[in-house]
Structure formats: C-alpha cells, structure tokens
Amino acid sequence: MMFGTFSPWHYVKYKCKKRGITTVMKMEIIIDENITEDQVIIKCKSLNDEIRHIQKTLGEVINSSQKLVVYSENTEYYIVLNEILFFETDGSIINAHTKNEIYQTKYKLYELEDLLPGIFMRISKSAIVNTEHIYSINRSLTSSSVISFADTHKQVYVSRYYYKALINKLSEKRLDV
C-alpha cells in the first residue's frame, strides 16, 4: 500500500497565451492506492480565465483517451472518441463515422448526447457532430447547412434550428487559441 505526497507542493509557472501573464501556483500530487477513481481537484480564489483554461485542457486530455464500443458486421471495435467525426441515424441504426469507416453503435442518439464529452454537439434531429473536426460550414439560408471535414469526402447537415448554437460553440473555441 502506498499513500503519500509525490513532489510535495511543486511550484509551477503557468503562462497564459492570450495575455502574456505568468502565474505561479502550487501543484500537489497525492498517491492513494485505496481510491477507486482518479480525481483532479483545483483550489482557487476565483474562477478566472487561467483556471478555466486549465480546466478545459484537463478535460481535453481526459476526453482524448475515452473509447466507445462500435460494431461493423460481426466485429467489435474500440474507437477513441476523438476519431469519430459524427453520429447520424439511418432508420433505426445509429452510425458512427470516422474519416474512412462507418460503424454502428447500440446507443440511441439521445443516449449518446448524454454520454459524449463537450466536444460533441447535436446539430439536427438525426445527427451529433464532433466540433473538433469541423473544417467548413456551407451555409444555406433556405435549408440545412452542410458541414465538411478535412481529408475526407464525408459531410453532414446542420439544421437551421441548431445552426446558431453550433456557430456560438465554434466561436468560443476560436477565442481560446
């Protein structure tokens, strides 16, 4: 059994890209073999831009390694979520699209909406998109707009109802660069 502090009160310099601000903060790693699930706890005076950036970065690291069980014919695959471009319905089947493949999932679209991390977003009654992979949106004022992805011919439609929310989400991401 191991319980203790690893590198107690490690001081970390954190530089905020947006403003050139350097912040010094303490970082502590505690190893406890008795816990069943890893935790990250952030203690702060207030929820400022730097803390939000750390929170977002941690979330992206965690989400990038999550996997989803998908199927193709009689084979079960374990796909990293970030490889999935979008989910869409085809009758009663839910397809998960990667750049080169189409897999099926046993989840319903509304279940996926609850399970998937924040990089995924509902864009129509029949589709959920991974916002990290959007390359372009061909806007149409009279009907659904078309989302394209880099390095693939695949496209998916975003309905007028969801269009503004999608643009807002993409705008938030642009500000963090």
Side-chain angles (χ1 to χ4, degrees):
M1 181 174 103
M2 183 177 191
F3 180 78
T5 302
F6 177 78
S7 299
W9 296 112
H10 217 86
Y11 285 88
V12 177
K13 280 191 175 182
Y14 170 75
K15 189 165 185 171
C16 179
K17 290 181 185 178
K18 288 190 277 187
R19 296 191 191 103
I21 298 170
T22 301
T23 304
V24 177
M25 60 181 67
K26 294 190 269 183
M27 180 173 67
E28 179 181 26
I29 300 174
I30 299 172
I31 299 171
D32 182 353
E33 292 180 349
N34 294 321
I35 63 172
T36 57
E37 190 174 89
D38 291 337
Q39 306 174 28
V40 175
I41 299 170
I42 300 173
K43 288 184 181 181
C44 55
K45 288 182 186 178
S46 64
L47 190 57
N48 56 34
D49 288 344
E50 288 80 19
I51 298 299
R52 282 189 188 96
H53 182 71
I54 292 168
Q55 178 187 20
K56 180 180 179 194
T57 303
L58 282 171
E60 288 170 357
V61 168
I62 292 166
N63 292 336
S64 69
S65 63
Q66 288 181 326
K67 293 186 177 185
L68 181 70
V69 179
V70 292
Y71 305 89
S72 181
E73 297 180 12
N74 295 328
T75 307
E76 189 172 282
Y77 296 93
Y78 301 90
I79 303 292
V80 175
L81 281 178
N82 202 32
E83 291 181 21
I84 297 172
L85 302 175
F86 62 97
F87 296 90
E88 72 175 343
T89 58
D90 182 12
S92 63
I93 297 170
I94 306 299
N95 291 319
H97 291 260
T98 61
K99 284 185 180 182
N100 300 314
E101 302 293 332
I102 299 174
Y103 301 97
Q104 287 74 46
T105 179
K106 293 185 177 179
Y107 292 105
K108 302 290 184 205
L109 222 50
Y110 69 88
E111 293 171 323
L112 286 169
E113 221 175 346
D114 291 337
L115 291 171
L116 295 170
I119 61 172
F120 287 89
M121 178 179 178
R122 175 76 79 132
I123 57 165
S124 69
K125 288 182 180 179
S126 60
I128 295 174
V129 71
N130 182 339
T131 59
E132 297 283 316
H133 290 291
I134 294 175
Y135 179 70
S136 67
I137 302 174
N138 186 355
R139 186 171 184 201
S140 171
L141 296 175
T142 57
S143 63
S144 299
S145 300
V146 180
I147 295 174
S148 297
F149 305 94
D151 303 323
T152 184
H153 67 281
K154 295 190 178 183
Q155 297 179 324
V156 66
Y157 293 93
V158 57
S159 72
R160 287 184 293 153
Y161 179 79
Y162 291 93
Y163 179 81
K164 185 171 176 127
L166 176 63
I167 295 302
N168 288 342
K169 185 169 189 111
L170 293 173
S171 294
E172 287 174 13
K173 291 172 58 162
R174 264 197 323 258
L175 295 176
D176 290 336
V177 175

PDB file of all heavy atoms in Angstrom, residues 11-42:
ATOM      1  N   TYR A  11       5.982  23.847  -7.302  1.00  0.00           N
ATOM      2  CA  TYR A  11       5.556  25.143  -7.819  1.00  0.00           C
ATOM      3  C   TYR A  11       5.647  25.123  -9.331  1.00  0.00           C
ATOM      4  O   TYR A  11       6.635  24.696  -9.897  1.00  0.00           O
ATOM      5  CB  TYR A  11       6.398  26.283  -7.246  1.00  0.00           C
ATOM      6  CG  TYR A  11       6.040  26.592  -5.827  1.00  0.00           C
ATOM      7  CD1 TYR A  11       6.646  25.913  -4.781  1.00  0.00           C
ATOM      8  CD2 TYR A  11       5.048  27.519  -5.541  1.00  0.00           C
ATOM      9  CE1 TYR A  11       6.299  26.174  -3.473  1.00  0.00           C
ATOM     10  CE2 TYR A  11       4.690  27.784  -4.234  1.00  0.00           C
ATOM     11  CZ  TYR A  11       5.316  27.107  -3.206  1.00  0.00           C
ATOM     12  OH  TYR A  11       4.958  27.368  -1.917  1.00  0.00           O
ATOM     13  N   VAL A  12       4.592  25.565  -9.972  1.00  0.00           N
ATOM     14  CA  VAL A  12       4.505  25.525 -11.421  1.00  0.00           C
ATOM     15  C   VAL A  12       4.290  26.933 -11.941  1.00  0.00           C
ATOM     16  O   VAL A  12       3.436  27.658 -11.431  1.00  0.00           O
ATOM     17  CB  VAL A  12       3.320  24.635 -11.859  1.00  0.00           C
ATOM     18  CG1 VAL A  12       3.165  24.644 -13.360  1.00  0.00           C
ATOM     19  CG2 VAL A  12       3.511  23.221 -11.351  1.00  0.00           C
ATOM     20  N   LYS A  13       5.063  27.316 -12.931  1.00  0.00           N
ATOM     21  CA  LYS A  13       4.810  28.591 -13.609  1.00  0.00           C
ATOM     22  C   LYS A  13       3.879  28.295 -14.761  1.00  0.00           C
ATOM     23  O   LYS A  13       4.131  27.416 -15.566  1.00  0.00           O
ATOM     24  CB  LYS A  13       6.096  29.213 -14.123  1.00  0.00           C
ATOM     25  CG  LYS A  13       6.879  29.923 -13.073  1.00  0.00           C
ATOM     26  CD  LYS A  13       7.983  30.727 -13.693  1.00  0.00           C
ATOM     27  CE  LYS A  13       8.681  31.525 -12.608  1.00  0.00           C
ATOM     28  NZ  LYS A  13       9.724  32.358 -13.147  1.00  0.00           N
ATOM     29  N   TYR A  14       2.805  29.012 -14.833  1.00  0.00           N
ATOM     30  CA  TYR A  14       1.806  28.818 -15.871  1.00  0.00           C
ATOM     31  C   TYR A  14       1.712  30.118 -16.656  1.00  0.00           C
ATOM     32  O   TYR A  14       1.501  31.177 -16.090  1.00  0.00           O
ATOM     33  CB  TYR A  14       0.457  28.463 -15.227  1.00  0.00           C
ATOM     34  CG  TYR A  14      -0.687  28.473 -16.189  1.00  0.00           C
ATOM     35  CD1 TYR A  14      -0.855  27.445 -17.100  1.00  0.00           C
ATOM     36  CD2 TYR A  14      -1.593  29.529 -16.211  1.00  0.00           C
ATOM     37  CE1 TYR A  14      -1.894  27.457 -18.000  1.00  0.00           C
ATOM     38  CE2 TYR A  14      -2.632  29.549 -17.096  1.00  0.00           C
ATOM     39  CZ  TYR A  14      -2.781  28.512 -17.987  1.00  0.00           C
ATOM     40  OH  TYR A  14      -3.809  28.524 -18.881  1.00  0.00           O
ATOM     41  N   LYS A  15       1.901  30.042 -17.954  1.00  0.00           N
ATOM     42  CA  LYS A  15       1.849  31.247 -18.782  1.00  0.00           C
ATOM     43  C   LYS A  15       0.572  31.238 -19.612  1.00  0.00           C
ATOM     44  O   LYS A  15       0.299  30.292 -20.322  1.00  0.00           O
ATOM     45  CB  LYS A  15       3.065  31.319 -19.693  1.00  0.00           C
ATOM     46  CG  LYS A  15       3.182  32.633 -20.406  1.00  0.00           C
ATOM     47  CD  LYS A  15       4.542  32.822 -21.004  1.00  0.00           C
ATOM     48  CE  LYS A  15       4.640  34.208 -21.589  1.00  0.00           C
ATOM     49  NZ  LYS A  15       5.963  34.544 -22.000  1.00  0.00           N
ATOM     50  N   CYS A  16      -0.207  32.286 -19.500  1.00  0.00           N
ATOM     51  CA  CYS A  16      -1.437  32.431 -20.265  1.00  0.00           C
ATOM     52  C   CYS A  16      -1.082  33.017 -21.628  1.00  0.00           C
ATOM     53  O   CYS A  16      -0.555  34.121 -21.715  1.00  0.00           O
ATOM     54  CB  CYS A  16      -2.407  33.340 -19.517  1.00  0.00           C
ATOM     55  SG  CYS A  16      -3.952  33.604 -20.369  1.00  0.00           S
ATOM     56  N   LYS A  17      -1.364  32.268 -22.708  1.00  0.00           N
ATOM     57  CA  LYS A  17      -1.018  32.695 -24.065  1.00  0.00           C
ATOM     58  C   LYS A  17      -1.728  33.979 -24.478  1.00  0.00           C
ATOM     59  O   LYS A  17      -1.177  34.795 -25.186  1.00  0.00           O
ATOM     60  CB  LYS A  17      -1.363  31.598 -25.071  1.00  0.00           C
ATOM     61  CG  LYS A  17      -0.491  30.396 -24.986  1.00  0.00           C
ATOM     62  CD  LYS A  17      -0.910  29.396 -26.025  1.00  0.00           C
ATOM     63  CE  LYS A  17      -0.131  28.115 -25.904  1.00  0.00           C
ATOM     64  NZ  LYS A  17      -0.574  27.129 -26.877  1.00  0.00           N
ATOM     65  N   LYS A  18      -2.964  34.143 -24.047  1.00  0.00           N
ATOM     66  CA  LYS A  18      -3.765  35.266 -24.520  1.00  0.00           C
ATOM     67  C   LYS A  18      -3.225  36.617 -24.059  1.00  0.00           C
ATOM     68  O   LYS A  18      -3.303  37.593 -24.765  1.00  0.00           O
ATOM     69  CB  LYS A  18      -5.213  35.123 -24.059  1.00  0.00           C
ATOM     70  CG  LYS A  18      -5.969  34.050 -24.776  1.00  0.00           C
ATOM     71  CD  LYS A  18      -7.433  34.126 -24.460  1.00  0.00           C
ATOM     72  CE  LYS A  18      -7.699  33.418 -23.171  1.00  0.00           C
ATOM     73  NZ  LYS A  18      -9.095  33.285 -22.848  1.00  0.00           N
ATOM     74  N   ARG A  19      -2.711  36.664 -22.844  1.00  0.00           N
ATOM     75  CA  ARG A  19      -2.339  37.961 -22.291  1.00  0.00           C
ATOM     76  C   ARG A  19      -0.873  38.062 -21.920  1.00  0.00           C
ATOM     77  O   ARG A  19      -0.440  39.091 -21.455  1.00  0.00           O
ATOM     78  CB  ARG A  19      -3.183  38.223 -21.046  1.00  0.00           C
ATOM     79  CG  ARG A  19      -4.640  38.332 -21.346  1.00  0.00           C
ATOM     80  CD  ARG A  19      -5.366  38.852 -20.125  1.00  0.00           C
ATOM     81  NE  ARG A  19      -6.765  38.701 -20.370  1.00  0.00           N
ATOM     82  CZ  ARG A  19      -7.509  37.751 -19.851  1.00  0.00           C
ATOM     83  NH1 ARG A  19      -7.002  36.870 -19.048  1.00  0.00           N
ATOM     84  NH2 ARG A  19      -8.795  37.684 -20.129  1.00  0.00           N
ATOM     85  N   GLY A  20      -0.126  36.973 -22.074  1.00  0.00           N
ATOM     86  CA  GLY A  20       1.276  37.006 -21.683  1.00  0.00           C
ATOM     87  C   GLY A  20       1.470  37.060 -20.179  1.00  0.00           C
ATOM     88  O   GLY A  20       2.517  37.440 -19.685  1.00  0.00           O
ATOM     89  N   ILE A  21       0.449  36.681 -19.406  1.00  0.00           N
ATOM     90  CA  ILE A  21       0.507  36.731 -17.947  1.00  0.00           C
ATOM     91  C   ILE A  21       1.157  35.443 -17.444  1.00  0.00           C
ATOM     92  O   ILE A  21       0.825  34.350 -17.887  1.00  0.00           O
ATOM     93  CB  ILE A  21      -0.912  36.847 -17.344  1.00  0.00           C
ATOM     94  CG1 ILE A  21      -1.577  38.139 -17.813  1.00  0.00           C
ATOM     95  CG2 ILE A  21      -0.884  36.742 -15.829  1.00  0.00           C
ATOM     96  CD1 ILE A  21      -3.046  38.216 -17.476  1.00  0.00           C
ATOM     97  N   THR A  22       2.069  35.571 -16.497  1.00  0.00           N
ATOM     98  CA  THR A  22       2.669  34.402 -15.867  1.00  0.00           C
ATOM     99  C   THR A  22       2.112  34.303 -14.458  1.00  0.00           C
ATOM    100  O   THR A  22       2.170  35.270 -13.689  1.00  0.00           O
ATOM    101  CB  THR A  22       4.200  34.504 -15.835  1.00  0.00           C
ATOM    102  OG1 THR A  22       4.667  34.624 -17.176  1.00  0.00           O
ATOM    103  CG2 THR A  22       4.810  33.281 -15.191  1.00  0.00           C
ATOM    104  N   THR A  23       1.571  33.155 -14.113  1.00  0.00           N
ATOM    105  CA  THR A  23       1.011  32.921 -12.803  1.00  0.00           C
ATOM    106  C   THR A  23       1.789  31.798 -12.136  1.00  0.00           C
ATOM    107  O   THR A  23       2.089  30.801 -12.774  1.00  0.00           O
ATOM    108  CB  THR A  23      -0.476  32.492 -12.911  1.00  0.00           C
ATOM    109  OG1 THR A  23      -1.172  33.495 -13.633  1.00  0.00           O
ATOM    110  CG2 THR A  23      -1.101  32.312 -11.561  1.00  0.00           C
ATOM    111  N   VAL A  24       2.105  31.953 -10.872  1.00  0.00           N
ATOM    112  CA  VAL A  24       2.761  30.887 -10.129  1.00  0.00           C
ATOM    113  C   VAL A  24       1.707  30.258  -9.232  1.00  0.00           C
ATOM    114  O   VAL A  24       0.953  30.947  -8.549  1.00  0.00           O
ATOM    115  CB  VAL A  24       3.929  31.439  -9.279  1.00  0.00           C
ATOM    116  CG1 VAL A  24       4.554  30.330  -8.454  1.00  0.00           C
ATOM    117  CG2 VAL A  24       4.970  32.089 -10.177  1.00  0.00           C
ATOM    118  N   MET A  25       1.630  28.942  -9.280  1.00  0.00           N
ATOM    119  CA  MET A  25       0.669  28.251  -8.436  1.00  0.00           C
ATOM    120  C   MET A  25       1.290  26.970  -7.916  1.00  0.00           C
ATOM    121  O   MET A  25       2.261  26.466  -8.481  1.00  0.00           O
ATOM    122  CB  MET A  25      -0.633  27.973  -9.188  1.00  0.00           C
ATOM    123  CG  MET A  25      -0.512  27.113 -10.423  1.00  0.00           C
ATOM    124  SD  MET A  25      -2.070  26.830 -11.276  1.00  0.00           S
ATOM    125  CE  MET A  25      -2.469  28.451 -11.867  1.00  0.00           C
ATOM    126  N   LYS A  26       0.747  26.463  -6.829  1.00  0.00           N
ATOM    127  CA  LYS A  26       1.226  25.217  -6.245  1.00  0.00           C
ATOM    128  C   LYS A  26       0.504  24.048  -6.904  1.00  0.00           C
ATOM    129  O   LYS A  26      -0.675  24.152  -7.228  1.00  0.00           O
ATOM    130  CB  LYS A  26       0.957  25.187  -4.745  1.00  0.00           C
ATOM    131  CG  LYS A  26       1.738  26.203  -3.970  1.00  0.00           C
ATOM    132  CD  LYS A  26       1.616  25.976  -2.491  1.00  0.00           C
ATOM    133  CE  LYS A  26       0.458  26.749  -1.926  1.00  0.00           C
ATOM    134  NZ  LYS A  26       0.333  26.625  -0.475  1.00  0.00           N
ATOM    135  N   MET A  27       1.242  22.947  -7.090  1.00  0.00           N
ATOM    136  CA  MET A  27       0.625  21.728  -7.614  1.00  0.00           C
ATOM    137  C   MET A  27       1.055  20.587  -6.704  1.00  0.00           C
ATOM    138  O   MET A  27       2.232  20.444  -6.395  1.00  0.00           O
ATOM    139  CB  MET A  27       1.082  21.456  -9.045  1.00  0.00           C
ATOM    140  CG  MET A  27       0.455  20.208  -9.620  1.00  0.00           C
ATOM    141  SD  MET A  27       0.801  19.968 -11.364  1.00  0.00           S
ATOM    142  CE  MET A  27       2.552  19.661 -11.346  1.00  0.00           C
ATOM    143  N   GLU A  28       0.097  19.791  -6.272  1.00  0.00           N
ATOM    144  CA  GLU A  28       0.375  18.678  -5.383  1.00  0.00           C
ATOM    145  C   GLU A  28      -0.214  17.412  -5.991  1.00  0.00           C
ATOM    146  O   GLU A  28      -1.348  17.418  -6.455  1.00  0.00           O
ATOM    147  CB  GLU A  28      -0.263  18.951  -4.017  1.00  0.00           C
ATOM    148  CG  GLU A  28      -0.059  17.852  -3.022  1.00  0.00           C
ATOM    149  CD  GLU A  28      -0.738  18.161  -1.697  1.00  0.00           C
ATOM    150  OE1 GLU A  28      -1.718  18.929  -1.687  1.00  0.00           O
ATOM    151  OE2 GLU A  28      -0.304  17.623  -0.680  1.00  0.00           O
ATOM    152  N   ILE A  29       0.563  16.349  -5.987  1.00  0.00           N
ATOM    153  CA  ILE A  29       0.074  15.047  -6.441  1.00  0.00           C
ATOM    154  C   ILE A  29       0.119  14.109  -5.256  1.00  0.00           C
ATOM    155  O   ILE A  29       1.180  13.899  -4.653  1.00  0.00           O
ATOM    156  CB  ILE A  29       0.934  14.496  -7.598  1.00  0.00           C
ATOM    157  CG1 ILE A  29       0.896  15.456  -8.781  1.00  0.00           C
ATOM    158  CG2 ILE A  29       0.445  13.098  -7.990  1.00  0.00           C
ATOM    159  CD1 ILE A  29       1.832  15.080  -9.918  1.00  0.00           C
ATOM    160  N   ILE A  30      -1.027  13.542  -4.900  1.00  0.00           N
ATOM    161  CA  ILE A  30      -1.126  12.610  -3.778  1.00  0.00           C
ATOM    162  C   ILE A  30      -1.448  11.233  -4.341  1.00  0.00           C
ATOM    163  O   ILE A  30      -2.436  11.072  -5.066  1.00  0.00           O
ATOM    164  CB  ILE A  30      -2.222  13.048  -2.777  1.00  0.00           C
ATOM    165  CG1 ILE A  30      -1.878  14.431  -2.217  1.00  0.00           C
ATOM    166  CG2 ILE A  30      -2.392  12.014  -1.673  1.00  0.00           C
ATOM    167  CD1 ILE A  30      -2.972  15.049  -1.377  1.00  0.00           C
ATOM    168  N   ILE A  31      -0.639  10.254  -4.013  1.00  0.00           N
ATOM    169  CA  ILE A  31      -0.865   8.885  -4.480  1.00  0.00           C
ATOM    170  C   ILE A  31      -1.550   8.114  -3.354  1.00  0.00           C
ATOM    171  O   ILE A  31      -1.029   8.012  -2.246  1.00  0.00           O
ATOM    172  CB  ILE A  31       0.466   8.208  -4.870  1.00  0.00           C
ATOM    173  CG1 ILE A  31       1.129   8.995  -6.006  1.00  0.00           C
ATOM    174  CG2 ILE A  31       0.214   6.750  -5.261  1.00  0.00           C
ATOM    175  CD1 ILE A  31       2.527   8.560  -6.321  1.00  0.00           C
ATOM    176  N   ASP A  32      -2.728   7.594  -3.640  1.00  0.00           N
ATOM    177  CA  ASP A  32      -3.517   6.826  -2.675  1.00  0.00           C
ATOM    178  C   ASP A  32      -4.058   5.605  -3.387  1.00  0.00           C
ATOM    179  O   ASP A  32      -4.999   5.695  -4.180  1.00  0.00           O
ATOM    180  CB  ASP A  32      -4.648   7.694  -2.122  1.00  0.00           C
ATOM    181  CG  ASP A  32      -5.488   6.992  -1.064  1.00  0.00           C
ATOM    182  OD1 ASP A  32      -5.281   5.782  -0.838  1.00  0.00           O
ATOM    183  OD2 ASP A  32      -6.349   7.656  -0.471  1.00  0.00           O
ATOM    184  N   GLU A  33      -3.479   4.445  -3.124  1.00  0.00           N
ATOM    185  CA  GLU A  33      -3.892   3.205  -3.792  1.00  0.00           C
ATOM    186  C   GLU A  33      -5.266   2.717  -3.345  1.00  0.00           C
ATOM    187  O   GLU A  33      -5.807   1.787  -3.924  1.00  0.00           O
ATOM    188  CB  GLU A  33      -2.839   2.122  -3.577  1.00  0.00           C
ATOM    189  CG  GLU A  33      -1.541   2.423  -4.300  1.00  0.00           C
ATOM    190  CD  GLU A  33      -0.491   1.353  -4.078  1.00  0.00           C
ATOM    191  OE1 GLU A  33      -0.672   0.484  -3.211  1.00  0.00           O
ATOM    192  OE2 GLU A  33       0.534   1.409  -4.792  1.00  0.00           O
ATOM    193  N   ASN A  34      -5.837   3.337  -2.317  1.00  0.00           N
ATOM    194  CA  ASN A  34      -7.143   2.910  -1.815  1.00  0.00           C
ATOM    195  C   ASN A  34      -8.311   3.528  -2.569  1.00  0.00           C
ATOM    196  O   ASN A  34      -9.442   3.087  -2.426  1.00  0.00           O
ATOM    197  CB  ASN A  34      -7.269   3.231  -0.319  1.00  0.00           C
ATOM    198  CG  ASN A  34      -6.297   2.408   0.502  1.00  0.00           C
ATOM    199  OD1 ASN A  34      -6.074   1.237   0.220  1.00  0.00           O
ATOM    200  ND2 ASN A  34      -5.703   3.026   1.504  1.00  0.00           N
ATOM    201  N   ILE A  35      -8.061   4.573  -3.354  1.00  0.00           N
ATOM    202  CA  ILE A  35      -9.165   5.192  -4.083  1.00  0.00           C
ATOM    203  C   ILE A  35      -9.499   4.355  -5.315  1.00  0.00           C
ATOM    204  O   ILE A  35      -8.643   3.656  -5.861  1.00  0.00           O
ATOM    205  CB  ILE A  35      -8.868   6.661  -4.476  1.00  0.00           C
ATOM    206  CG1 ILE A  35      -7.679   6.763  -5.440  1.00  0.00           C
ATOM    207  CG2 ILE A  35      -8.641   7.512  -3.240  1.00  0.00           C
ATOM    208  CD1 ILE A  35      -7.475   8.152  -6.003  1.00  0.00           C
ATOM    209  N   THR A  36     -10.737   4.418  -5.742  1.00  0.00           N
ATOM    210  CA  THR A  36     -11.181   3.614  -6.895  1.00  0.00           C
ATOM    211  C   THR A  36     -11.179   4.424  -8.185  1.00  0.00           C
ATOM    212  O   THR A  36     -11.236   3.864  -9.261  1.00  0.00           O
ATOM    213  CB  THR A  36     -12.603   3.076  -6.656  1.00  0.00           C
ATOM    214  OG1 THR A  36     -13.479   4.176  -6.413  1.00  0.00           O
ATOM    215  CG2 THR A  36     -12.624   2.119  -5.472  1.00  0.00           C
ATOM    216  N   GLU A  37     -11.116   5.732  -8.091  1.00  0.00           N
ATOM    217  CA  GLU A  37     -11.177   6.583  -9.265  1.00  0.00           C
ATOM    218  C   GLU A  37     -10.254   7.784  -9.077  1.00  0.00           C
ATOM    219  O   GLU A  37     -10.240   8.395  -8.018  1.00  0.00           O
ATOM    220  CB  GLU A  37     -12.626   7.065  -9.432  1.00  0.00           C
ATOM    221  CG  GLU A  37     -12.923   7.753 -10.706  1.00  0.00           C
ATOM    222  CD  GLU A  37     -14.418   8.051 -10.824  1.00  0.00           C
ATOM    223  OE1 GLU A  37     -14.832   9.125 -10.359  1.00  0.00           O
ATOM    224  OE2 GLU A  37     -15.141   7.209 -11.373  1.00  0.00           O
ATOM    225  N   ASP A  38      -9.451   8.091 -10.097  1.00  0.00           N
ATOM    226  CA  ASP A  38      -8.570   9.252 -10.017  1.00  0.00           C
ATOM    227  C   ASP A  38      -9.399  10.536  -9.938  1.00  0.00           C
ATOM    228  O   ASP A  38     -10.500  10.608 -10.478  1.00  0.00           O
ATOM    229  CB  ASP A  38      -7.657   9.325 -11.244  1.00  0.00           C
ATOM    230  CG  ASP A  38      -6.627   8.204 -11.261  1.00  0.00           C
ATOM    231  OD1 ASP A  38      -6.315   7.663 -10.189  1.00  0.00           O
ATOM    232  OD2 ASP A  38      -6.142   7.874 -12.363  1.00  0.00           O
ATOM    233  N   GLN A  39      -8.846  11.543  -9.265  1.00  0.00           N
ATOM    234  CA  GLN A  39      -9.527  12.825  -9.119  1.00  0.00           C
ATOM    235  C   GLN A  39      -8.550  13.948  -9.419  1.00  0.00           C
ATOM    236  O   GLN A  39      -7.361  13.823  -9.143  1.00  0.00           O
ATOM    237  CB  GLN A  39      -9.994  13.050  -7.681  1.00  0.00           C
ATOM    238  CG  GLN A  39     -10.842  11.997  -7.083  1.00  0.00           C
ATOM    239  CD  GLN A  39     -11.094  12.311  -5.600  1.00  0.00           C
ATOM    240  OE1 GLN A  39     -11.092  13.457  -5.176  1.00  0.00           O
ATOM    241  NE2 GLN A  39     -11.300  11.281  -4.831  1.00  0.00           N
ATOM    242  N   VAL A  40      -9.037  15.032  -9.909  1.00  0.00           N
ATOM    243  CA  VAL A  40      -8.263  16.257 -10.023  1.00  0.00           C
ATOM    244  C   VAL A  40      -9.078  17.326  -9.312  1.00  0.00           C
ATOM    245  O   VAL A  40     -10.230  17.574  -9.657  1.00  0.00           O
ATOM    246  CB  VAL A  40      -8.013  16.665 -11.495  1.00  0.00           C
ATOM    247  CG1 VAL A  40      -7.302  18.011 -11.550  1.00  0.00           C
ATOM    248  CG2 VAL A  40      -7.222  15.598 -12.220  1.00  0.00           C
ATOM    249  N   ILE A  41      -8.480  17.937  -8.305  1.00  0.00           N
ATOM    250  CA  ILE A  41      -9.159  18.985  -7.534  1.00  0.00           C
ATOM    251  C   ILE A  41      -8.372  20.272  -7.740  1.00  0.00           C
ATOM    252  O   ILE A  41      -7.159  20.300  -7.556  1.00  0.00           O
ATOM    253  CB  ILE A  41      -9.211  18.618  -6.030  1.00  0.00           C
ATOM    254  CG1 ILE A  41      -9.998  17.320  -5.844  1.00  0.00           C
ATOM    255  CG2 ILE A  41      -9.803  19.772  -5.226  1.00  0.00           C
ATOM    256  CD1 ILE A  41      -9.907  16.739  -4.447  1.00  0.00           C
ATOM    257  N   ILE A  42      -9.061  21.311  -8.114  1.00  0.00           N
ATOM    258  CA  ILE A  42      -8.424  22.609  -8.308  1.00  0.00           C
ATOM    259  C   ILE A  42      -8.944  23.542  -7.221  1.00  0.00           C
ATOM    260  O   ILE A  42     -10.146  23.777  -7.124  1.00  0.00           O
ATOM    261  CB  ILE A  42      -8.740  23.188  -9.707  1.00  0.00           C
ATOM    262  CG1 ILE A  42      -8.231  22.254 -10.789  1.00  0.00           C
ATOM    263  CG2 ILE A  42      -8.155  24.589  -9.842  1.00  0.00           C
ATOM    264  CD1 ILE A  42      -8.630  22.654 -12.200  1.00  0.00           C
TER     265      ILE A  42
END
